[in-house]
C-alpha cells in the first residue's frame, strides 16, 4: 500500500478571492477588438487597460490606488491611429509602457506619477519598421531598453528604445502569423508559437532557430508557450478533436513531451501566466469564468493540478502583477486583474498561514527593477541572470525615472560634403550675449517646471497615504 497518498506541496491550498466592490475599477469600456491579447498590463504602480475609443486606438493608465468608478473624462493615452492590440510595462522602469497597434507602429510612453489633466498624445519614441499590424510586445528580462515586437508581417524586430533604432530584424524564421513570444529567464533565447503549427526556440543574436517542434498540439487553434525557470517549455493548445490541452517539453529533446494533459472542450485560447518563484502556472481562458493553476515539479506527472478559482462572469482579458507588487504581509503569491466588459476586478491568490512573520519559503528573492545589462552588452554576446531583490520588508516602487531617447546623429558618421558655408547675416546679427540670456531663461524655466513636478508628486503621495489611511 502506498505510504503517501496525497502529494506534499506548500501550494496545495492556494486560495483565490476577489477584492471588495470598492476596490475594483468600474465604468471602463474594455476594448472589443478580436485579438488574443490580455488587454491589461500591471506593475507595482499602475494598471493599464486597452479601451474602446473613437477615431484611433487608446489605453487607460490608472494608479493602483485609484479604485472605484472611473470618470468618463479620465485622460487616455491616445497616440495611435488604429486600435491598440498589446501593451507591456518595462520591467526596469515602472513609469515606461510600450503599446502596439493595428497602425503598424510601436510607441513607448513615459507615464507621470501624477494623473495628467488631458490625454497623452506624444510618445517618447515611435518605432516604425513593421508593414502590417503589430500584435505582440515583450521587453527583454535583463537588458535595459530592449523591446521585442512581432507583427502580422511574420516579422520579429528587437528595438533599442534608448536610441529609437532596430537592433535586429528576424524576417525569415516564420512562415505565418506569430501567436506569442516569451523570453527565457536570462534573455538569451525566446520561444514562439505560430499559425504554421511550429513551436520554435530562437537565438536572436545568431538569427537561428536552435530547436523546433511541429504540432506540439495537433489542433488548428492558437497555441501559447512560456519558458519555465529551468529552461523547459510549457505549452497550451488544442487536440485534433478541439479539446484544450497543456504540455511540458524539454527543448533538448522535442520528440516526446515530458507531460501532455487534456483539459476540457471549451474553445477559448488558454493564456498561461507563469510564476518562476513558485513554479506555478495559472491558466486563464478567454471567455472562461475560471483560473486553473498547476505546479510544475521534477516528479511525475510533472504538471500537478492544484485547484481552480471560479466566478460567475467570463473574462475578456487578464493582467498579472509582478511578484514585487504583491502584499507579502498577507501571504499573497499572485494577483490577477480580470477584465469584464465594463470593469477591472483584482483577484488575490494567497497561501493561508497562521504566522504573521515573513514567509521565506513563499518569497525567494525575485527579479527587481535594475537591469543586469546594457543593450550594447547584450547585443555583443553577454548574458546575465536577473538582479534579485528581497521582499522581506515589502517592495517600495522607485520614483519616476525619465527614459531618455538619444537618436544617433547622421552627421556623426557622414561628414558634410562641399565647401563650408560662410556665416550668414542672420548668424552675425544674433549676438552671443542674447544667446546666453536665452539659455539662462530656459534653465530657469526648466528648474521651475521640475520644482512644480516634485511638488505635485509629493502632494499625490500624501493624497495616496491619506486615502489609504481612511480605507
Amino acid at each position: 500500500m502506498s505510504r503517501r497518498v496525497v502529494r506534499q506541496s506548500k501550494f496545495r491550498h492556494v486560495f483565490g478571492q476577489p477584492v471588495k466592490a470598492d476596490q475594483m475599477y468600474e465604468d471602463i469600456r474594455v476594448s472589443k477588438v478580436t485579438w488574443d491579447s490580455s488587454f491589461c498590463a500591471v506593475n507595482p504602480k499602475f494598471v493599464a487597460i486597452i479601451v474602446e475609443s473613437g477615431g484611433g486606438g487608446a489605453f487607460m493608465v490608472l494608479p493602483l490606488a485609484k479604485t472605484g468608478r472611473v470618470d468618463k473624462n479620465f485622460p487616455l493615452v491616445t497616440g495611435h491611429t488604429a486600435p491598440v492590440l498589446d501593451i507591456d510595462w518595462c520591467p526596469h522602469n515602472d513609469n515606461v509602457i510600450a503599446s502596439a497597434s493595428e497602425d503598424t507602429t510601436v510607441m513607448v510612453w513615459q507615464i507621470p506619477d501624477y494623473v495628467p489633466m488631458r490625454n497623452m498624445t506624444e510618445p517618447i519614441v515611435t518605432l516604425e519598421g513593421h508593414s502590417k499590424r503589430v500584435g505582440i510586445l515583450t521587453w527583454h528580462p535583463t537588458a535595459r531598453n530592449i523591446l521585442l515586437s512581432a507583427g502580422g508581417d511574420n516579422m520579429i524586430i528587437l528595438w533599442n528604445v534608448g536610441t529609437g533604432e532596430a537592433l535586429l530584424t528576424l524576417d525569415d524564421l516564420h512562415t505565418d502569423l506569430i501567436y506569442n513570444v516569451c523570453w527565457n529567464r536570462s534573455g538569451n533565447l525566446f520561444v514562439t508559437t505560430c499559425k504554421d503549427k511550429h513551436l520554435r526556440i530562437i537565438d536572436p543574436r545568431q538569427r537561428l532557430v536552435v530547436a523546433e517542434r511541429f504540432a506540439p498540439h495537433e489542433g488548428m487553434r492558437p497555441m501559447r508557450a512560456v519558458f519555465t525557470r529551468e529552461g523547459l517549455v510549457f505549452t497550451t493548445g488544442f487536440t485534433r478533436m478541439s479539446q484544450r490541452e497543456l504540455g511540458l517539453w524539454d527543448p533538448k529533446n522535442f520528440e516526446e513531451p515530458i507531460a501532455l494533459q487534456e483539459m476540457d472542450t471549451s474553445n477559448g485560447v488558454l493564456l498561461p501566466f507563469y510564476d518562476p518563484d513558485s513554479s506555478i502556472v495559472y491558466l486563464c481562458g478567454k471567455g472562461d469564468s475560471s483560473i486553473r493553476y498547476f505546479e510544475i515539479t521534477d516528479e511525475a506527472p510533472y504538471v500537478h493540478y492544484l485547484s481552480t478559482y471560479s466566478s460567475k462572469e467570463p473574462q475578456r482579458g487578464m493582467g498579472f502583477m509582478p511578484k514585487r507588487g504583491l502584499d507579502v504581509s498577507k501571504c499573497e503569491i499572485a494577483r490577477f486583474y480580470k477584465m469584464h466588459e465594463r470593469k477591472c476586478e483584482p483577484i488575490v491568490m494567497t497561501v493561508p498561514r497562521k504566522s504573521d512573520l515573513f514567509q521565506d519559503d513563499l518569497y525567494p528573492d525575485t527579479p527587481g527593477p535594475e537591469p543586469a545589462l546594457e543593450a550594447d552588452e547584450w547585443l555583443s554576446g553577454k548574458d546575465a541572470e536577473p538582479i534579485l531583490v528581497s521582499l522581506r520588508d515589502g517592495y517600495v516602487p522607485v520614483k519616476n525615472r525619465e527614459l531618455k531617447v538619444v537618436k544617433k546623429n547622421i552627421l556623426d558618421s557622414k561628414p558634410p560634403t562641399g565647401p563650408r558655408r560662410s556665416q550668414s547675416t542672420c548668424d552675425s546679427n544674433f549676438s552671443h550675449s542674447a544667446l546666453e540670456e536665452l539659455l539662462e531663461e530656459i534653465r530657469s524655466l526648466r528648474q521651475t517646471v521640475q520644482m512644480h513636478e516634485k511638488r505635485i508628486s509629493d502632494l499625490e503621495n500624501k493624497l495616496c497615504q491619506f486615502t489609504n489611511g481612511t480605507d
Side-chain angles (χ1 to χ4, degrees):
M1 196 176 139
S2 169
R3 283 181 304 157
R4 195 176 69 189
V5 179
V6 178
R7 189 180 68 88
Q8 292 297 307
S9 169
K10 59 190 170 225
F11 300 115
R12 268 189 51 230
H13 302 292
V14 175
F15 180 62
Q17 195 174 20
V19 298
K20 293 188 174 76
D22 62 347
Q23 294 298 301
M24 297 180 193
Y25 306 87
E26 308 260 6
D27 255 14
I28 297 168
R29 295 186 305 146
V30 179
S31 173
K32 293 187 173 68
V33 74
T34 53
W35 182 251
D36 286 328
S37 130
S38 53
F39 290 145
C40 176
V42 293
N43 71 14
K45 282 187 175 184
F46 302 103
V47 51
I49 300 160
I50 302 175
V51 293
E52 283 287 294
S53 75
F59 61 98
M60 175 184 285
V61 178
L62 295 163
L64 284 189
K66 195 166 180 57
T67 54
R69 195 172 295 282
V70 177
D71 189 314
K72 69 176 189 299
N73 296 318
F74 191 87
L76 304 175
V77 183
T78 61
H80 289 286
T81 56
V84 175
L85 299 179
D86 199 13
I87 47 177
D88 195 29
W89 287 105
C90 175
H92 307 127
N93 188 332
D94 287 340
N95 293 76
V96 171
I97 188 168
S99 58
S101 165
E102 274 189 20
D103 66 10
T104 77
T105 67
V106 173
M107 292 183 177
V108 180
W109 307 83
Q110 178 100 27
I111 306 296
D113 282 333
Y114 56 89
V115 176
M117 299 302 289
R118 55 180 71 85
N119 286 354
M120 289 181 68
T121 56
E122 292 295 320
I124 313 170
V125 63
T126 301
L127 306 172
E128 296 174 323
H130 288 282
S131 59
K132 291 188 179 172
R133 68 181 183 178
V134 188
I136 296 167
L137 283 178
T138 175
W139 291 87
H140 194 283
T142 60
R144 190 195 308 271
N145 290 345
I146 292 183
L147 175 66
L148 179 153
S149 64
D153 47 13
N154 311 338
M155 196 156 82
I156 288 176
I157 302 179
L158 275 77
W159 307 90
N160 182 345
V161 172
T163 61
E165 294 179 320
L167 286 179
L168 297 164
T169 301
L170 311 175
D171 55 2
D172 55 355
L173 301 182
H174 297 86
T175 61
D176 211 330
L177 182 69
I178 300 162
Y179 286 141
N180 94 299
V181 182
C182 175
W183 291 99
N184 69 354
R185 189 170 172 82
S186 66
N188 65 336
L189 299 170
F190 57 78
V191 60
T192 67
T193 58
C194 181
K195 196 174 180 179
D196 64 12
K197 294 177 76 169
H198 281 263
L199 175 76
R200 295 174 175 89
I201 311 285
I202 293 170
D203 180 335
R205 290 171 298 195
Q206 303 286 331
R207 294 179 167 82
L208 278 180
V209 176
V210 293
E212 193 169 2
R213 161 82 201 204
F214 177 68
H217 302 283
E218 292 183 341
M220 292 302 297
R221 291 183 55 71
M223 292 185 291
R224 286 284 188 278
V226 292
F227 266 110
T228 71
R229 186 184 177 126
E230 287 73 31
L232 303 177
V233 175
F234 179 89
T235 60
T236 63
F238 292 81
T239 66
R240 197 171 284 162
M241 306 301 291
S242 288
Q243 281 195 299
R244 293 199 292 197
E245 192 174 44
L246 58 85
L248 186 66
W249 308 82
D250 182 352
K252 296 185 182 74
N253 176 20
F254 258 150
E255 291 308 305
E256 287 297 317
I258 298 170
L260 201 61
Q261 295 179 25
E262 285 184 11
M263 300 210 1
D264 56 25
T265 51
S266 178
N267 62 1
V269 174
L270 283 168
L271 305 177
F273 295 94
Y274 174 71
D275 173 16
D277 296 344
S278 61
S279 278
I280 294 178
V281 65
Y282 301 86
L283 301 184
C284 309
K286 279 271 192 145
D288 288 10
S289 52
S290 62
I291 302 171
R292 268 172 276 206
Y293 31 110
F294 299 78
E295 187 177 359
I296 299 172
T297 71
D298 51 10
E299 295 174 16
Y302 306 106
V303 182
H304 305 269
Y305 171 73
L306 290 173
S307 188
T308 300
Y309 165 80
S310 294
S311 56
K312 287 179 183 156
E313 295 180 70
Q315 55 233 16
R316 301 277 304 274
M318 198 68 83
F320 187 53
M321 177 65 81
K323 212 50 171 270
R324 55 196 173 86
L326 303 180
D327 187 345
V328 297
S329 66
K330 294 181 178 159
C331 294
E332 183 183 12
I333 64 159
R335 191 187 313 152
F336 288 91
Y337 286 73
K338 174 178 171 177
M339 298 292 103
H340 298 250
E341 208 165 303
R342 299 282 305 189
K343 70 177 178 185
C344 170
E345 173 190 32
I347 296 162
V348 174
M349 300 281 181
T350 53
V351 177
R353 294 274 170 97
K354 287 177 181 167
S355 168
D356 288 339
L357 299 173
F358 178 73
Q359 305 293 316
D360 291 273
D361 60 328
L362 295 184
Y363 302 106
D365 289 357
T366 196
E370 284 304 314
L373 294 170
E374 295 299 325
D376 295 345
E377 292 178 303
W378 179 81
L379 190 62
S380 68
K382 259 192 171 180
D383 289 322
E385 290 288 306
I387 295 174
L388 305 181
V389 295
S390 170
L391 297 178
R392 179 172 288 277
D393 302 315
Y395 174 76
V396 180
V398 289
K399 283 279 181 196
N400 187 347
R401 290 182 301 182
E402 194 179 340
L403 171 64
K404 289 186 170 61
V405 177
V406 184
K407 297 210 173 178
K408 287 185 180 164
N409 186 343
I410 55 163
L411 298 179
D412 290 347
S413 53
K414 292 181 190 168
T417 53
R420 214 171 145 244
R421 73 184 182 99
S422 61
Q423 193 178 44
S424 69
T425 50
C426 172
D427 291 337
S428 56
N429 290 342
F430 198 80
S431 72
H432 187 72
S433 59
L435 183 64
E436 281 295 317
E437 227 171 89
L438 196 61
L439 286 171
E440 189 52 48
E441 202 174 322
I442 289 169
R443 262 185 230 114
S444 162
L445 281 169
R446 187 180 288 155
Q447 280 175 350
T448 310
V449 168
Q450 284 172 343
M451 208 164 63
H452 283 309
E453 275 189 347
K454 185 178 183 308
R455 191 158 163 266
I456 290 165
S457 183
D458 290 345
L459 287 168
E460 282 278 328
N461 289 338
K462 280 179 187 164
L463 186 63
C464 280
Q465 286 166 8
F466 177 74
T467 51
N468 290 342
T470 56
D471 280 351

